[in-house]
Amino acid sequence: MNLIDWVGTAAAILTTASFVPQAWHTFRTRDVSGISLGMYSLFTVGVALWLVYGVLMVAWPIIIANTITTSLALMILVMKLRYR
């Protein structure tokens, strides 16, 4: 792996890992009152577009990280719509 791959992998791991505690808390408590529907909708679409970008570029760190984050974000978005 070259330096660019290492940087991309580290960025993917850190940004995805930073999202997990909030997702876990939301799943555990079902409390979505502090989540903005507009912001979370835009965030989810943005992360999904990063996933598409990663697929088009065949950039595995981007694909893996954004697959995980898109999945978690979609689950939280569904909870926000369901438990308002």
Side-chain angles (χ1 to χ4, degrees):
M1 238 195 307
N2 62 35
L3 179 60
I4 293 171
D5 292 332
W6 279 107
V7 170
T9 300
I13 290 169
L14 291 172
T15 55
T16 301
S18 72
F19 187 73
V20 171
Q22 183 62 51
W24 179 252
H25 175 75
T26 303
F27 297 146
R28 195 169 33 82
T29 64
R30 305 262 191 258
D31 178 14
V32 291
S33 61
I35 294 174
S36 162
L37 180 60
M39 177 272 177
Y40 229 79
S41 298
L42 291 174
F43 173 77
T44 303
V45 171
V47 174
L49 288 173
W50 272 114
L51 173 57
V52 172
Y53 175 79
V55 169
L56 294 173
M57 298 294 294
V58 191
W60 286 105
I62 294 172
I63 294 168
I64 294 167
N66 287 292
T67 297
I68 294 167
T69 306
T70 299
S71 300
L72 294 171
L74 278 172
M75 287 188 264
I76 292 172
L77 191 56
V78 167
M79 287 176 56
K80 177 64 178 176
L81 293 169
R82 185 173 178 192
Y83 298 120
R84 323 183 192 198

